[in-house]
Amino acid sequence: MKGMKRSFKIEVDCANCANLIEDAVKKVKGVEEVTVSFMTQKMKIGFEAGSDPESVLEEVRRTARKIEPDFSII
């Protein structure tokens, strides 16, 4: 069974940062899949079935801010 997918508007400063954030977020527990687009300033996350999206999203924020302190999900 697949979990839900959601799209978020984000602020990321450069394409390289977006790639680094995508790679790091893929390792967050509860994330099934993720794509981060610098061009559209969007992040799409597929959450694992049974995970709590809000908890996962908080960990995604923490992980992304280690790479880019100004990162935000709008």
Side-chain angles (χ1 to χ4, degrees), residues 1 5 11 16 21 37 58-59 61:
M1 185 171 105
K5 292 182 182 176
E11 284 187 20
N16 186 50
I21 289 169
S37 172
E58 198 50 48
E59 187 58 33
R61 277 190 190 95

Side-chain angles (χ1 to χ4, degrees), residues 12-23 36-38 67-68:
V12 63
D13 293 340
C14 70
N16 186 50
C17 293
N19 291 335
L20 292 172
I21 289 169
E22 183 175 306
D23 288 343
V36 179
S37 172
F38 171 69
I67 296 161
E68 183 176 316

Side-chain angles (χ1 to χ4, degrees), residues 10 12 14-29 31-37 43-45 59-60 63-64 66-67 71:
I10 60 169
V12 63
C14 70
N16 186 50
C17 293
N19 291 335
L20 292 172
I21 289 169
E22 183 175 306
D23 288 343
V25 168
K26 284 179 182 173
K27 298 173 187 160
V28 171
K29 188 175 183 335
V31 173
E32 190 169 75
E33 59 183 299
V34 63
T35 54
V36 179
S37 172
M43 174 169 38
K44 293 179 183 170
I45 300 178
E59 187 58 33
V60 165
T63 300
K66 288 177 188 171
I67 296 161
F71 175 86

